[in-house]
Amino acid sequence: MSASFAKALEAAHDAAGSQNNPASTLYVVATPIGNLADISLRALHVLALVDAVACEDTRHTQQLLRAYGLDRPGAQLLAVHQHNEAQAAQTVIDRLAQGERVAYVSDAGTPAISDPGARLVAAVRQAGYRVLPLPGASSVTTALSASGMTGDHGFVFAGFLSSKSGERQQAVQALAQESRAVVLLEAPHRIEALAQALSVLGERRITLGRELTKQFEQIETVSAQDLPDWLAEKPDRQRGEFVLVVHDAPVAESTGEGLRVLQVLLPELPLKTAVKLAAEITGESKNVLYDKALALKNA
């Protein structure tokens, strides 16, 4: 452990030592997505305090803990991955029943978002034990904060699309109808295929974050149709883990045609059907037309 992390661990105990950390509790702890310095003082304190650490990869987590001076015997590291999550959850519950504190960490970032952990959390809660989250690094919010995405309607987290070509194409077709921003994750060996699938979105902007928080971090914004060529320009651009923010769809300027079409359709059709047809006829945003339709109904 470096001297700097030794000081950080001491500061962590000073900052969080007086807080209540109840027994028989599962602590969901966010860890860095790349840069070791992106760990909270509270996380360091809790990782030192708990009786066991559940994790995706025990070897990876052991290395992480050692970097902070928190080396643990192998018996205190519990493997929880997609192939054993149900069985591992019972092991964690048995430990909580004995009054232990157990932390759960993923390989990187905030657990139970796009990795094992959600079933563990659900099982622990169903068994009547407390789940206490410790906020921290997240690749999703990290990419969004640097994307310049200015949509007023929030975003959708879609995670990893299917590795099967047909299913991936269907997902992208559905994504094309989504006016809000969409956050995707992808691995290096599949980024080319994802870029090709997304190219049908044409001029829609995509911010690609590669190796976020690491030494070779790269954040670029290009149009969807240009993304495959941009990736192909340099081999390094296809290395590392990826987060992609598909920006919110540009809102077409209203010409008043949508309102006129709604006025014709609403007396004859259900509201949602009228909105869908009006959007197809005029090209205006479904969300905007829906608000107009509600106003007409209420009037």
Side-chain angles (χ1 to χ4, degrees):
M1 177 177 60
S2 68
S4 58
F5 280 132
K7 292 179 180 178
L9 194 55
E10 182 179 348
H13 296 321
D14 289 342
S18 61
Q19 297 179 10
N20 180 33
N21 294 293
S24 298
T25 297
L26 176 68
Y27 293 82
V28 181
V29 183
T31 55
I33 60 176
N35 191 315
L36 283 176
D38 294 334
I39 186 81
S40 73
L41 294 179
R42 186 181 174 205
L44 288 174
H45 176 74
V46 167
L47 288 172
L49 175 70
V50 295
D51 301 289
V53 179
C55 50
E56 281 186 87
D57 185 329
T58 57
R59 293 168 299 179
H60 176 89
T61 298
Q62 185 69 281
Q63 291 177 350
L64 180 70
L65 294 173
R66 283 173 179 164
Y68 299 127
L70 298 173
D71 195 6
R72 285 181 173 273
Q76 292 182 8
L77 296 177
L78 313 175
V80 180
H81 47 74
Q82 61 180 345
H83 302 297
N84 78 338
E85 200 166 359
Q87 179 183 355
Q90 188 56 53
T91 300
V92 171
I93 290 170
D94 291 342
R95 284 179 172 263
L96 298 179
Q98 297 171 22
E100 292 189 7
R101 300 176 179 88
V102 179
Y104 175 67
V105 300
S106 66
D107 284 348
T110 300
I113 302 300
S114 189
D115 47 47
R119 291 184 179 88
L120 169 63
V121 169
V124 168
R125 291 177 63 87
Q126 188 173 7
Y129 295 101
R130 185 175 179 183
V131 176
L132 206 160
L134 276 66
S138 164
S139 62
V140 174
T141 53
T142 300
L144 279 168
S145 69
S147 70
M149 189 276 295
T150 57
D152 296 326
H153 303 293
F155 68 93
V156 177
F157 175 66
F160 291 91
L161 299 187
S162 174
S163 60
K164 298 179 180 178
S165 177
E167 294 180 2
R168 184 172 54 241
Q169 291 290 351
Q170 289 180 351
V172 172
Q173 289 173 7
L175 187 157
Q177 303 302 313
E178 174 59 67
S179 60
R180 293 170 292 181
V182 180
V183 180
L184 303 170
L185 306 179
E186 195 50 276
H189 64 284
R190 297 195 334 204
I191 188 62
E192 281 187 288
L194 177 61
Q196 287 292 342
L198 292 173
S199 65
V200 300
L201 299 180
E203 293 289 343
R204 196 159 172 180
R205 308 293 286 171
I206 294 180
T207 294
L208 179 145
R210 184 178 71 85
E211 293 289 84
L212 291 177
T213 78
K214 301 177 184 178
Q215 182 179 358
F216 299 108
E217 174 184 83
Q218 188 173 19
I219 302 171
E220 296 288 342
T221 299
V222 299
S223 68
Q225 62 191 14
D226 292 336
L227 183 58
D229 289 341
W230 182 86
L231 281 170
E233 282 179 6
K234 296 181 180 180
D236 286 349
R237 291 178 178 176
Q238 298 175 34
R239 296 175 181 172
E241 300 299 321
F242 295 87
V243 185
L244 298 93
V245 179
V246 181
H247 289 224
D248 47 307
V251 178
E253 187 174 340
S254 177
T255 62
E257 184 67 8
L259 180 60
R260 188 191 69 80
V261 172
L262 282 174
Q263 288 171 331
V264 174
L265 295 178
L266 280 173
E268 309 297 333
L269 297 170
L271 187 144
K272 287 186 178 180
T273 304
V275 168
K276 180 175 182 293
L277 289 175
E280 291 176 357
I281 293 169
T282 66
E284 292 189 25
S285 164
K286 280 186 181 180
N287 291 337
V288 172
L289 289 172
Y290 187 81
D291 291 340
K292 290 180 179 180
L294 286 178
L296 287 172
K297 281 284 189 182
N298 293 333

